[in-house]
Amino acid sequence: MSETPKKIAIDPNLIGDNAPSVLPSEDPAILGRATLHPLDPVQVRTYQTFTLEYVVGPLGIDDTGGIRIAWRTVSDAGKCQFTDPTAANYVTAHSTGEGRLVLAYEKNGGQRPWGEILTIRQVGGYLRPGDKIIVTLGDRTHGSPGMLMQTFAQAGREYRIMADVQATGNFAPLENGTLCVPIVPGPAVRWRAVTASLRRPNEPFILGLKGEDTWGNPTDQARATLRLEADMPIENLPNDVVFDGGARGITLENLRVAEEGTLRIRAYIGDQQVAEAGPLIIRNGDVAGYWGDLHGQSGETIGTGSIEDYMAFARDLAFLDVTSHQANDFQIKPAFWDHLNDLTARLDEPNRFTVFPGYEWSGNTAVGGDHNVFYRHEGSTLRRCSHALLEDRQDADTDAHTLTDLYRDIRNSDEDAVLYAHVGGRYANIHYDHDPILETAVEVHSDWGTFEWILTDGFELGRRVGVVANSDGHKGRPGASYPGISEFGAYGGLTCFLAAQNDRDSLFEAMRRRHHYATTGCRLAMDVTGELAAKGTLYLRNPDAVRDAETRPVTQLQMGDIVQTAEGSVRINVAVHSACGIERIELRRGAKIIETLRPYTEAELGNRVRVMWSGAEYRGRGRNSRWMGRADLTVADIQHLETINRWNPERPLEQRGSSQVIWDSVTTGNIVGMDLWLNNIAGQCNLTTNFGDFSVDLQTLGLASVSQVLGGLDRRLTVTRLPDAALPRQMTFTREVQLHETGDTPIWISLTTEDGHQAWSSPIYLFNKERHR
C-alpha cells in the first residue's frame, strides 16, 4: 500500500483564521525571527523538552509588548504551567535584555483555530534589536519530566509564533512563524481487521489490516506476519500478510466470494487470533452496503493535518468506501474551496472510493444550527452563514445567514445537494425550519456524543428523516476517530449506505430515500424490512415536499421508506449480524420502545453484572458530564472486570480490593461502564457518584435492566445482569406492529452490543390516507 505524502505545514493561504497582517515594511523579518529545537519526530504521549529562541527584530519590543506561541484548539497535549518546577509541563522563559518576562497560558484564549496560547510579555523595560527571548517548554532542570505530547499522530504539530512589538495587543505572525514537530504513533498494542458488511456474489470488496497504538493511531511500528483464515473461499486472499514496520496499514483489494453466505476473516499471529473482520453478508439483491464517514475537518479550518492527509486516512487507514470533508463555512477561504473541489474530483473513484464535495453550514442554533451540505458535483456555490474568520468579503453576497436562506438559495439554484442536521458546537435547531427534500437525515452520533433526541423530537413535528452517524472529527482520522482526552467524549460514528453501487448517483439516491443505518463506529450487518398484507404506496420522494412524487405499489418495505397503507399493522423483520455479542435490540414505534429483545433467557443469566453510566449535561456545546464514582459490593467479590468504552486510559476505571471499583470518566450522551464477573449474586451493589447514588439488590436482578435518572440530559446509572459466557452475535425476529390511526408511524430499531457499541436503523414511515389527501 502506498500512502499520500504528508505535508508538514499547511499552506497558510488555505487556512481561514483572519490572522492580522505583518506590519508594513520591505524587511520580512521586521517582527523578529524564531527557531525551535529539537524538531525531530516524537512519540505520542511522551514527555519532551523544546527550546524556542526568539531574536528581536529591527523595531525592538516595547514595555508590555511580547511574543505569543499558539497551538491548535483541538490539541490535547499537556497544559503549560509555571508554578511547580517538579511537575509535568513546566515552562520557563528569560531574555538577554533588561526588565523581566511575565508568562500567561490560556487553553482557549486565542482566535480559532489557534485557541491554545502561551503569552510571554516584556515588563519593566524594553528589548533592543538583536536581544533574545528563550522559552523552555518542559524545563527539566528541577525535576519536571517535560511537556506531555498529544494523543494523536500528526505530520507536524504546529507552533505558531507571533509578536506584539509595539505593545498594541495585536500579535502578528512572524515571517517564519509556523514551526512544526512531527508526532508519531507509539508501538502496536492491538490489531484491526476491517471489511465490508454486505456484498453480492462476485462483487469486489477489500480487507484492511492495521496495528494501532494505545490511543488508536495506526502505527508503522507493527511488525508481524498475519496468517489469514476465512469461513468461505475468497478469491485473491493471500494466506499471509507481512508487516515489517514500514506501513501503517495494508489494504487487500479486489477480493470476491462466489456463493451466498456469512463471511468472517480471522487474523492470527502463530496460533493466537489477534483480529477478526466481518461479518460480511454475501447475498443476491438490489443493493450492497457501503461504509462512510462524511463529516470531519482538517487543518485548513479547525482541525489538524492537511486535507490530503485526511483523505488518505479515510481510504487507506480507516478503509472507508465513501467520505466527504466538512469545513466550517465561516473559515473557508475561496482558495481552499477551489482546492477542495479539485481534490474531490481527482480522488473520486466510482465503485472503490466515492468522495463528495461539501462543507458545514455553521449557523448559530438560533437561526438553524449546524447542517452538513453535500454536493453531487464540483463547482457548486459555497453559501456561508457568515464571513466571521475571513477578511476577504468579496463573495459575501452569496452568504445564507439563516437556515431558511440556505434552503431557499439551494432550491433556487440548479445545484444537486443533500443536507444533514447535526449536533456539534452549534446543535441543529430542528424546530427552526426544515426542507423535506434537501434535509434527508439527522446525525445521532459523532465524536461529540450520542443524540437520539434529534431524531425523536422530529417525530412530533412530522419529520421523515433517516439516521446517520459520522465522526465530526478534528484530528484528521475520518472513519476511525478516537476522542483522545480533549473535549470530545466518544468514538466517531459510521453510516452504512444501502445502494445499488458505490458511486455518487447511487449514494445520493440512497440518501434521498433514507436507505442507511448508523453505528457508533462498529461495522455490523443490519436488515430491517417490512411486509404489508395488501399493497401500499411507496413514495420515492417525501410527499410533504413533492406533490406529484413518483410512487410504486409495494408489499415489501425497506428501512427509510415512506409508505401509505390502509392496513392497521405491518410485519417487521429484523436480522442483525454483529462483530461481537448483542446485548439487546429495542423495537421502537416513534419515540417509544414497544419491545426489548435479548438473545438469551432469564434461565441463562449468570454472575456477570454490567454497570453503565450515560447522558449529558444539556444539548449545547458544554454537554460533557464528568463522572466521579465508585461501586461497592456488600457481599460478592469481583473475580474479573472488563471496561466498556473507556476511551481515555489515563482516567481511572479500575478495581480496588476485592469488592470495589472507582472511576473518573466523561459521557456526552453516550454510554460508558464495566462488566463485573462476581463469585455470586448476593448482597447490594452500591453506586456512589458526584451526580447521585443508586443501590441495587443483586438478587432481584432479572432480564430487565434497572436504572436511576440523575438529572441533566437523560443522565443515569444502569445495572444489568448478563450471562457469564459471550453473547450470541446474531439475532433475527419478526413482529407484527400496530399502526397509528392518524399521522405517521415511524418504526425503527436501536441495538446495543456486548462491547458497548450502538446502532440505529432509519425508520420506516407508514401513514394512512388522513395525512396526505
Side-chain angles (χ1 to χ4, degrees):
M1 181 203 73
S2 61
E3 295 182 19
T4 303
K6 299 171 182 59
K7 291 183 178 180
I8 297 299
I10 300 168
D11 183 350
N13 294 317
L14 301 181
I15 300 175
D17 59 5
N18 200 17
S21 302
V22 175
L23 298 176
S25 172
E26 294 181 0
D27 182 358
I30 193 170
L31 296 181
R33 295 186 65 82
T35 57
L36 180 72
H37 65 274
L39 295 177
D40 301 322
V42 298
Q43 185 175 301
V44 296
R45 229 51 190 161
T46 57
Y47 289 98
Q48 304 292 333
T49 297
F50 301 96
T51 301
L52 176 83
E53 182 176 287
Y54 166 77
V55 180
V56 179
L59 294 180
I61 291 185
D62 204 14
D63 189 9
T64 73
I67 63 171
R68 174 172 289 173
I69 307 170
W71 298 274
R72 288 185 176 268
T73 305
V74 299
S75 169
D76 59 7
K79 299 177 181 179
C80 300
Q81 59 94 8
F82 325 111
T83 57
D84 187 350
T86 66
N89 310 311
Y90 185 60
V91 177
T92 61
H94 67 277
S95 77
T96 61
E98 61 182 51
R100 61 190 176 89
L101 301 177
V102 177
L103 280 64
Y105 170 81
E106 295 178 84
K107 174 59 181 173
N108 293 293
Q111 177 179 285
R112 65 185 287 158
W114 311 102
E116 184 179 6
I117 56 173
L118 170 64
T119 304
I120 302 98
R121 290 192 182 276
Q122 168 71 20
V123 176
Y126 57 86
L127 296 180
R128 297 174 175 84
D131 282 344
K132 295 180 180 180
I133 295 175
I134 296 93
V135 183
T136 304
L137 301 153
D139 190 335
R140 290 172 161 144
T141 304
H142 300 288
S144 171
M147 289 295 299
L148 184 58
M149 296 294 95
Q150 64 200 41
T151 66
F152 55 96
Q154 187 178 356
R157 169 169 162 80
E158 295 151 295
Y159 292 67
R160 195 173 204 230
I161 318 303
M162 298 173 280
D164 173 21
V165 300
Q166 295 194 284
T168 63
N170 178 24
F171 286 87
L174 306 189
E175 188 268 338
N176 72 325
T178 301
L179 308 171
C180 296
V181 176
I183 311 294
V184 299
V189 299
R190 57 182 169 262
W191 292 90
R192 299 292 190 196
V194 180
T195 193
S197 297
L198 178 63
R199 287 293 189 272
R200 290 155 291 206
N202 294 311
E203 184 173 8
F205 61 93
I206 67 169
L207 173 66
L209 300 164
K210 60 182 174 178
E212 290 182 342
D213 70 9
T214 298
W215 296 96
N217 298 292
T219 177
D220 57 6
Q221 296 187 47
R223 290 175 173 84
T225 297
L226 302 185
R227 176 171 53 86
L228 303 179
E229 291 185 2
D231 295 335
M232 304 171 67
I234 303 176
E235 182 182 342
N236 298 324
L237 181 72
N239 294 324
D240 301 292
V241 175
V242 177
F243 280 81
D244 59 6
R248 294 185 295 159
I250 293 175
T251 304
L252 304 178
E253 304 267 2
N254 295 314
L255 306 180
R256 289 178 170 82
V257 172
E259 304 295 331
E260 292 188 322
T262 301
L263 173 67
R264 297 178 192 265
I265 307 170
R266 291 169 293 279
Y268 295 85
I269 298 177
D271 294 330
Q272 180 183 3
Q273 181 178 321
V274 296
E276 182 181 78
L280 168 52
I281 307 301
I282 307 295
R283 185 179 65 208
N284 285 301
D286 294 333
V287 300
Y290 303 106
W291 286 101
D293 177 358
L294 274 62
H295 182 190
Q297 301 203 47
S298 58
E300 288 80 3
T301 52
I302 189 61
T304 59
S306 69
I307 189 171
E308 287 82 3
D309 287 350
Y310 173 100
M311 294 294 181
F313 190 101
R315 174 179 168 130
D316 300 330
L317 295 174
F319 313 113
L320 293 178
D321 300 308
V322 54
T323 196
S324 182
H325 185 276
Q326 293 285 297
N328 293 117
D329 57 359
F330 54 71
Q331 259 185 287
I332 302 176
K333 290 183 175 180
F336 179 55
W337 182 240
D338 292 342
H339 179 63
L340 171 67
N341 278 260
D342 290 342
L343 189 64
T344 57
R346 177 161 50 89
L347 295 179
D348 184 58
E349 183 181 346
N351 293 314
R352 174 56 183 91
F353 185 58
T354 298
V355 184
F356 290 106
Y359 66 97
E360 179 187 297
W361 185 84
S362 302
N364 290 335
T365 298
V367 292
D370 285 348
H371 280 70
N372 303 109
V373 180
F374 306 103
Y375 287 121
R376 195 170 178 178
H377 306 293
E378 284 77 15
S380 299
T381 303
L382 172 61
R383 296 182 171 85
R384 304 178 183 88
C385 66
S386 76
H387 277 60
L389 285 177
L390 301 170
E391 288 185 328
D392 184 352
R393 299 172 183 267
Q394 294 185 50
D395 56 355
D397 60 322
T398 62
D399 282 2
H401 297 301
T402 71
L403 184 60
T404 302
D405 295 340
L406 180 66
Y407 287 150
R408 178 201 64 217
D409 292 347
I410 293 177
R411 288 291 293 268
N412 288 340
S413 74
D414 58 358
E415 296 163 350
D416 204 352
V418 161
L419 276 67
Y420 295 166
H422 78 262
V423 180
R426 301 151 296 272
Y427 69 88
N429 183 352
I430 67 169
H431 298 270
Y432 180 81
D433 200 357
H434 173 66
D435 187 303
I437 288 297
L438 292 175
E439 186 183 302
T440 64
V442 294
E443 187 179 272
V444 299
H445 179 85
S446 71
D447 281 0
W448 293 93
T450 304
F451 327 101
E452 287 187 358
W453 52 265
I454 198 172
L455 175 67
T456 56
D457 280 8
F459 294 149
E460 297 181 0
L461 301 173
R463 301 289 163 76
R464 293 161 167 170
V465 293
V467 173
V468 295
N470 298 289
S471 66
D472 196 1
H474 295 7
K475 298 182 178 72
R477 301 187 290 193
S481 184
Y482 287 82
I485 65 164
S486 60
E487 62 183 310
F488 298 109
Y491 184 80
L494 295 172
T495 302
C496 187
F497 297 96
L498 304 175
Q501 54 188 356
N502 183 14
D503 59 29
R504 290 184 180 181
D505 291 349
S506 301
L507 290 167
F508 248 54
E509 183 65 14
M511 292 179 192
R512 289 196 163 119
R513 296 180 62 182
R514 300 153 302 280
H515 289 172
H516 42 73
Y517 58 91
T519 80
T520 56
C522 66
R523 297 198 185 198
L524 53 77
M526 176 193 293
D527 274 326
V528 179
T529 60
E531 297 179 48
L532 293 170
K535 287 185 177 180
T537 302
L538 169 69
Y539 288 84
L540 272 62
R541 296 291 183 268
N542 191 337
D544 281 348
V546 180
R547 182 180 298 274
D548 298 319
E550 183 180 351
T551 62
R552 294 175 185 170
V554 295
T555 57
Q556 303 297 314
L557 319 178
Q558 186 176 344
M559 70 172 74
D561 282 348
I562 300 174
V563 178
Q564 182 177 354
T565 177
E567 300 297 306
S569 66
V570 62
R571 176 171 294 179
I572 296 297
N573 304 304
V574 174
V576 176
H577 297 75
S578 176
C580 72
I582 301 169
E583 185 205 315
R584 68 181 183 273
I585 298 178
E586 294 174 351
L587 178 61
R588 300 182 178 186
R589 181 174 52 208
K592 294 184 178 179
I593 301 170
I594 58 177
E595 186 177 359
T596 300
L597 300 101
R598 298 175 176 85
Y600 52 88
T601 65
E602 189 162 0
E604 296 174 278
L605 296 178
N607 289 353
R608 178 165 41 146
V609 174
R610 172 164 291 194
V611 179
M612 305 295 288
W613 43 99
S614 59
E617 294 296 306
Y618 58 94
R619 295 186 175 190
R621 192 185 300 269
R623 64 182 65 88
N624 288 13
S625 287
R626 182 173 180 181
W627 293 80
M628 309 286 287
R630 74 173 189 270
D632 293 290
L633 300 167
T634 61
V635 175
D637 286 339
I638 302 167
Q639 296 182 321
H640 178 61
L641 178 151
E642 289 187 7
T643 63
I644 299 169
N645 293 340
R646 186 192 178 200
W647 301 119
N648 183 352
E650 292 180 358
R651 284 186 172 164
L653 201 176
E654 59 193 35
Q655 184 176 339
R656 299 283 177 87
S658 63
S659 59
Q660 186 181 79
V661 180
I662 60 99
W663 69 85
D664 173 359
S665 70
V666 169
T667 64
T668 175
N670 56 318
I671 57 175
V672 178
M674 57 192 172
D675 278 351
L676 307 175
W677 280 262
L678 308 178
N679 63 341
N680 63 78
I681 298 294
Q684 301 290 118
C685 177
N686 297 321
L687 305 176
T688 305
T689 80
N690 53 318
F691 297 120
D693 305 335
F694 187 33
S695 183
V696 177
D697 184 346
L698 296 177
Q699 291 179 308
T700 66
L701 289 174
L703 272 178
S705 301
V706 294
S707 64
Q708 177 70 48
V709 177
L710 297 175
L713 182 61
D714 198 30
R715 192 169 53 216
R716 64 178 63 217
L717 288 163
T718 302
V719 180
T720 307
R721 187 177 172 190
L722 297 172
D724 292 331
L727 302 179
R729 301 196 288 180
Q730 176 180 345
M731 281 188 70
T732 60
F733 63 86
T734 297
R735 292 292 187 273
E736 195 75 20
V737 178
Q738 299 299 309
L739 306 182
H740 298 312
E741 293 184 0
T742 60
D744 279 356
T745 304
I747 301 173
W748 54 302
I749 68 166
S750 168
L751 70 90
T752 303
T753 59
E754 193 169 9
D755 61 359
H757 277 294
Q758 294 177 275
W760 303 265
S761 67
S762 289
I764 300 173
Y765 294 91
L766 296 112
F767 67 96
N768 60 25
K769 296 181 180 180
E770 294 190 27
R771 173 162 174 169
H772 297 282
R773 305 184 179 198

PDB file of all heavy atoms in Angstrom, residues 49-70:
ATOM      1  N   THR A  49      11.190  18.005  25.828  1.00  0.00           N
ATOM      2  CA  THR A  49      11.610  19.373  26.124  1.00  0.00           C
ATOM      3  C   THR A  49      11.976  20.076  24.827  1.00  0.00           C
ATOM      4  O   THR A  49      12.681  19.510  23.985  1.00  0.00           O
ATOM      5  CB  THR A  49      12.825  19.377  27.073  1.00  0.00           C
ATOM      6  OG1 THR A  49      12.450  18.787  28.319  1.00  0.00           O
ATOM      7  CG2 THR A  49      13.317  20.804  27.323  1.00  0.00           C
ATOM      8  N   PHE A  50      11.458  21.294  24.671  1.00  0.00           N
ATOM      9  CA  PHE A  50      11.742  22.100  23.482  1.00  0.00           C
ATOM     10  C   PHE A  50      12.234  23.478  23.923  1.00  0.00           C
ATOM     11  O   PHE A  50      11.764  24.027  24.927  1.00  0.00           O
ATOM     12  CB  PHE A  50      10.489  22.262  22.612  1.00  0.00           C
ATOM     13  CG  PHE A  50       9.906  20.969  22.142  1.00  0.00           C
ATOM     14  CD1 PHE A  50       8.858  20.374  22.830  1.00  0.00           C
ATOM     15  CD2 PHE A  50      10.408  20.328  21.019  1.00  0.00           C
ATOM     16  CE1 PHE A  50       8.315  19.179  22.405  1.00  0.00           C
ATOM     17  CE2 PHE A  50       9.873  19.131  20.586  1.00  0.00           C
ATOM     18  CZ  PHE A  50       8.831  18.548  21.281  1.00  0.00           C
ATOM     19  N   THR A  51      13.127  24.014  23.131  1.00  0.00           N
ATOM     20  CA  THR A  51      13.626  25.365  23.385  1.00  0.00           C
ATOM     21  C   THR A  51      13.276  26.262  22.210  1.00  0.00           C
ATOM     22  O   THR A  51      13.642  25.968  21.059  1.00  0.00           O
ATOM     23  CB  THR A  51      15.149  25.368  23.590  1.00  0.00           C
ATOM     24  OG1 THR A  51      15.464  24.522  24.691  1.00  0.00           O
ATOM     25  CG2 THR A  51      15.651  26.777  23.869  1.00  0.00           C
ATOM     26  N   LEU A  52      12.553  27.314  22.503  1.00  0.00           N
ATOM     27  CA  LEU A  52      12.217  28.323  21.496  1.00  0.00           C
ATOM     28  C   LEU A  52      13.120  29.531  21.710  1.00  0.00           C
ATOM     29  O   LEU A  52      13.180  30.077  22.818  1.00  0.00           O
ATOM     30  CB  LEU A  52      10.752  28.743  21.606  1.00  0.00           C
ATOM     31  CG  LEU A  52      10.346  29.866  20.655  1.00  0.00           C
ATOM     32  CD1 LEU A  52      10.026  29.303  19.282  1.00  0.00           C
ATOM     33  CD2 LEU A  52       9.173  30.661  21.195  1.00  0.00           C
ATOM     34  N   GLU A  53      13.815  29.929  20.659  1.00  0.00           N
ATOM     35  CA  GLU A  53      14.665  31.116  20.740  1.00  0.00           C
ATOM     36  C   GLU A  53      14.127  32.164  19.773  1.00  0.00           C
ATOM     37  O   GLU A  53      14.040  31.934  18.568  1.00  0.00           O
ATOM     38  CB  GLU A  53      16.108  30.776  20.396  1.00  0.00           C
ATOM     39  CG  GLU A  53      17.046  31.970  20.523  1.00  0.00           C
ATOM     40  CD  GLU A  53      18.492  31.588  20.273  1.00  0.00           C
ATOM     41  OE1 GLU A  53      19.083  30.931  21.142  1.00  0.00           O
ATOM     42  OE2 GLU A  53      19.006  31.948  19.185  1.00  0.00           O
ATOM     43  N   TYR A  54      13.745  33.295  20.323  1.00  0.00           N
ATOM     44  CA  TYR A  54      13.215  34.410  19.531  1.00  0.00           C
ATOM     45  C   TYR A  54      14.238  35.543  19.526  1.00  0.00           C
ATOM     46  O   TYR A  54      14.714  35.973  20.590  1.00  0.00           O
ATOM     47  CB  TYR A  54      11.887  34.892  20.106  1.00  0.00           C
ATOM     48  CG  TYR A  54      11.430  36.226  19.565  1.00  0.00           C
ATOM     49  CD1 TYR A  54      10.858  36.335  18.295  1.00  0.00           C
ATOM     50  CD2 TYR A  54      11.585  37.390  20.325  1.00  0.00           C
ATOM     51  CE1 TYR A  54      10.447  37.560  17.799  1.00  0.00           C
ATOM     52  CE2 TYR A  54      11.169  38.622  19.835  1.00  0.00           C
ATOM     53  CZ  TYR A  54      10.612  38.703  18.570  1.00  0.00           C
ATOM     54  OH  TYR A  54      10.205  39.921  18.071  1.00  0.00           O
ATOM     55  N   VAL A  55      14.587  36.008  18.334  1.00  0.00           N
ATOM     56  CA  VAL A  55      15.508  37.125  18.172  1.00  0.00           C
ATOM     57  C   VAL A  55      14.699  38.358  17.800  1.00  0.00           C
ATOM     58  O   VAL A  55      13.973  38.361  16.790  1.00  0.00           O
ATOM     59  CB  VAL A  55      16.568  36.827  17.092  1.00  0.00           C
ATOM     60  CG1 VAL A  55      17.520  38.013  16.946  1.00  0.00           C
ATOM     61  CG2 VAL A  55      17.339  35.555  17.443  1.00  0.00           C
ATOM     62  N   VAL A  56      14.826  39.403  18.618  1.00  0.00           N
ATOM     63  CA  VAL A  56      14.053  40.627  18.417  1.00  0.00           C
ATOM     64  C   VAL A  56      14.440  41.281  17.093  1.00  0.00           C
ATOM     65  O   VAL A  56      15.627  41.350  16.730  1.00  0.00           O
ATOM     66  CB  VAL A  56      14.280  41.603  19.590  1.00  0.00           C
ATOM     67  CG1 VAL A  56      13.498  42.901  19.368  1.00  0.00           C
ATOM     68  CG2 VAL A  56      13.886  40.953  20.909  1.00  0.00           C
ATOM     69  N   GLY A  57      13.435  41.774  16.359  1.00  0.00           N
ATOM     70  CA  GLY A  57      13.645  42.387  15.065  1.00  0.00           C
ATOM     71  C   GLY A  57      14.036  43.848  15.139  1.00  0.00           C
ATOM     72  O   GLY A  57      14.261  44.400  16.232  1.00  0.00           O
ATOM     73  N   PRO A  58      14.106  44.514  13.986  1.00  0.00           N
ATOM     74  CA  PRO A  58      14.603  45.899  13.916  1.00  0.00           C
ATOM     75  C   PRO A  58      13.801  46.903  14.723  1.00  0.00           C
ATOM     76  O   PRO A  58      14.323  47.981  15.061  1.00  0.00           O
ATOM     77  CB  PRO A  58      14.509  46.220  12.417  1.00  0.00           C
ATOM     78  CG  PRO A  58      14.545  44.894  11.730  1.00  0.00           C
ATOM     79  CD  PRO A  58      13.867  43.941  12.648  1.00  0.00           C
ATOM     80  N   LEU A  59      12.548  46.621  15.056  1.00  0.00           N
ATOM     81  CA  LEU A  59      11.738  47.572  15.806  1.00  0.00           C
ATOM     82  C   LEU A  59      11.917  47.460  17.308  1.00  0.00           C
ATOM     83  O   LEU A  59      11.429  48.315  18.055  1.00  0.00           O
ATOM     84  CB  LEU A  59      10.256  47.384  15.471  1.00  0.00           C
ATOM     85  CG  LEU A  59       9.832  47.702  14.037  1.00  0.00           C
ATOM     86  CD1 LEU A  59       8.347  47.461  13.858  1.00  0.00           C
ATOM     87  CD2 LEU A  59      10.174  49.146  13.676  1.00  0.00           C
ATOM     88  N   GLY A  60      12.601  46.424  17.774  1.00  0.00           N
ATOM     89  CA  GLY A  60      12.669  46.185  19.202  1.00  0.00           C
ATOM     90  C   GLY A  60      11.325  45.700  19.728  1.00  0.00           C
ATOM     91  O   GLY A  60      10.383  45.428  18.968  1.00  0.00           O
ATOM     92  N   ILE A  61      11.209  45.597  21.042  1.00  0.00           N
ATOM     93  CA  ILE A  61       9.933  45.282  21.701  1.00  0.00           C
ATOM     94  C   ILE A  61       9.751  46.270  22.842  1.00  0.00           C
ATOM     95  O   ILE A  61      10.613  46.401  23.725  1.00  0.00           O
ATOM     96  CB  ILE A  61       9.888  43.841  22.230  1.00  0.00           C
ATOM     97  CG1 ILE A  61       9.843  42.839  21.071  1.00  0.00           C
ATOM     98  CG2 ILE A  61       8.682  43.633  23.137  1.00  0.00           C
ATOM     99  CD1 ILE A  61       9.686  41.398  21.504  1.00  0.00           C
ATOM    100  N   ASP A  62       8.639  46.955  22.838  1.00  0.00           N
ATOM    101  CA  ASP A  62       8.380  47.970  23.857  1.00  0.00           C
ATOM    102  C   ASP A  62       7.903  47.317  25.156  1.00  0.00           C
ATOM    103  O   ASP A  62       7.489  46.150  25.176  1.00  0.00           O
ATOM    104  CB  ASP A  62       7.328  48.948  23.352  1.00  0.00           C
ATOM    105  CG  ASP A  62       7.426  50.304  24.041  1.00  0.00           C
ATOM    106  OD1 ASP A  62       8.452  50.564  24.689  1.00  0.00           O
ATOM    107  OD2 ASP A  62       6.455  51.079  23.937  1.00  0.00           O
ATOM    108  N   ASP A  63       7.966  48.097  26.234  1.00  0.00           N
ATOM    109  CA  ASP A  63       7.483  47.653  27.533  1.00  0.00           C
ATOM    110  C   ASP A  63       6.023  47.198  27.404  1.00  0.00           C
ATOM    111  O   ASP A  63       5.192  47.911  26.820  1.00  0.00           O
ATOM    112  CB  ASP A  63       7.590  48.818  28.522  1.00  0.00           C
ATOM    113  CG  ASP A  63       7.316  48.399  29.952  1.00  0.00           C
ATOM    114  OD1 ASP A  63       7.204  47.184  30.216  1.00  0.00           O
ATOM    115  OD2 ASP A  63       7.208  49.295  30.804  1.00  0.00           O
ATOM    116  N   THR A  64       5.689  46.030  27.939  1.00  0.00           N
ATOM    117  CA  THR A  64       4.391  45.314  27.911  1.00  0.00           C
ATOM    118  C   THR A  64       4.086  44.678  26.563  1.00  0.00           C
ATOM    119  O   THR A  64       3.032  44.077  26.389  1.00  0.00           O
ATOM    120  CB  THR A  64       3.197  46.182  28.358  1.00  0.00           C
ATOM    121  OG1 THR A  64       2.886  47.140  27.356  1.00  0.00           O
ATOM    122  CG2 THR A  64       3.461  46.845  29.700  1.00  0.00           C
ATOM    123  N   GLY A  65       4.989  44.814  25.602  1.00  0.00           N
ATOM    124  CA  GLY A  65       4.869  44.021  24.388  1.00  0.00           C
ATOM    125  C   GLY A  65       5.358  42.604  24.662  1.00  0.00           C
ATOM    126  O   GLY A  65       5.668  42.231  25.806  1.00  0.00           O
ATOM    127  N   GLY A  66       5.447  41.775  23.621  1.00  0.00           N
ATOM    128  CA  GLY A  66       5.926  40.431  23.849  1.00  0.00           C
ATOM    129  C   GLY A  66       5.715  39.521  22.660  1.00  0.00           C
ATOM    130  O   GLY A  66       5.472  39.975  21.532  1.00  0.00           O
ATOM    131  N   ILE A  67       5.823  38.240  22.939  1.00  0.00           N
ATOM    132  CA  ILE A  67       5.608  37.228  21.904  1.00  0.00           C
ATOM    133  C   ILE A  67       4.555  36.239  22.391  1.00  0.00           C
ATOM    134  O   ILE A  67       4.238  36.177  23.587  1.00  0.00           O
ATOM    135  CB  ILE A  67       6.911  36.477  21.540  1.00  0.00           C
ATOM    136  CG1 ILE A  67       7.451  35.692  22.734  1.00  0.00           C
ATOM    137  CG2 ILE A  67       7.939  37.456  20.996  1.00  0.00           C
ATOM    138  CD1 ILE A  67       8.602  34.767  22.392  1.00  0.00           C
ATOM    139  N   ARG A  68       4.050  35.482  21.462  1.00  0.00           N
ATOM    140  CA  ARG A  68       2.996  34.503  21.776  1.00  0.00           C
ATOM    141  C   ARG A  68       3.255  33.234  20.979  1.00  0.00           C
ATOM    142  O   ARG A  68       3.587  33.288  19.787  1.00  0.00           O
ATOM    143  CB  ARG A  68       1.611  35.067  21.468  1.00  0.00           C
ATOM    144  CG  ARG A  68       0.468  34.088  21.632  1.00  0.00           C
ATOM    145  CD  ARG A  68      -0.874  34.799  21.491  1.00  0.00           C
ATOM    146  NE  ARG A  68      -1.131  35.655  22.656  1.00  0.00           N
ATOM    147  CZ  ARG A  68      -2.154  36.497  22.748  1.00  0.00           C
ATOM    148  NH1 ARG A  68      -2.993  36.629  21.715  1.00  0.00           N
ATOM    149  NH2 ARG A  68      -2.338  37.211  23.840  1.00  0.00           N
ATOM    150  N   ILE A  69       3.094  32.090  21.641  1.00  0.00           N
ATOM    151  CA  ILE A  69       3.096  30.795  20.977  1.00  0.00           C
ATOM    152  C   ILE A  69       1.663  30.285  20.981  1.00  0.00           C
ATOM    153  O   ILE A  69       1.004  30.277  22.033  1.00  0.00           O
ATOM    154  CB  ILE A  69       4.011  29.793  21.698  1.00  0.00           C
ATOM    155  CG1 ILE A  69       5.414  30.371  21.890  1.00  0.00           C
ATOM    156  CG2 ILE A  69       4.074  28.477  20.935  1.00  0.00           C
ATOM    157  CD1 ILE A  69       6.289  29.514  22.802  1.00  0.00           C
ATOM    158  N   ALA A  70       1.184  29.871  19.815  1.00  0.00           N
ATOM    159  CA  ALA A  70      -0.191  29.386  19.720  1.00  0.00           C
ATOM    160  C   ALA A  70      -0.194  27.988  19.130  1.00  0.00           C
ATOM    161  O   ALA A  70       0.602  27.667  18.241  1.00  0.00           O
ATOM    162  CB  ALA A  70      -1.032  30.332  18.861  1.00  0.00           C
TER     163      ALA A  70
END
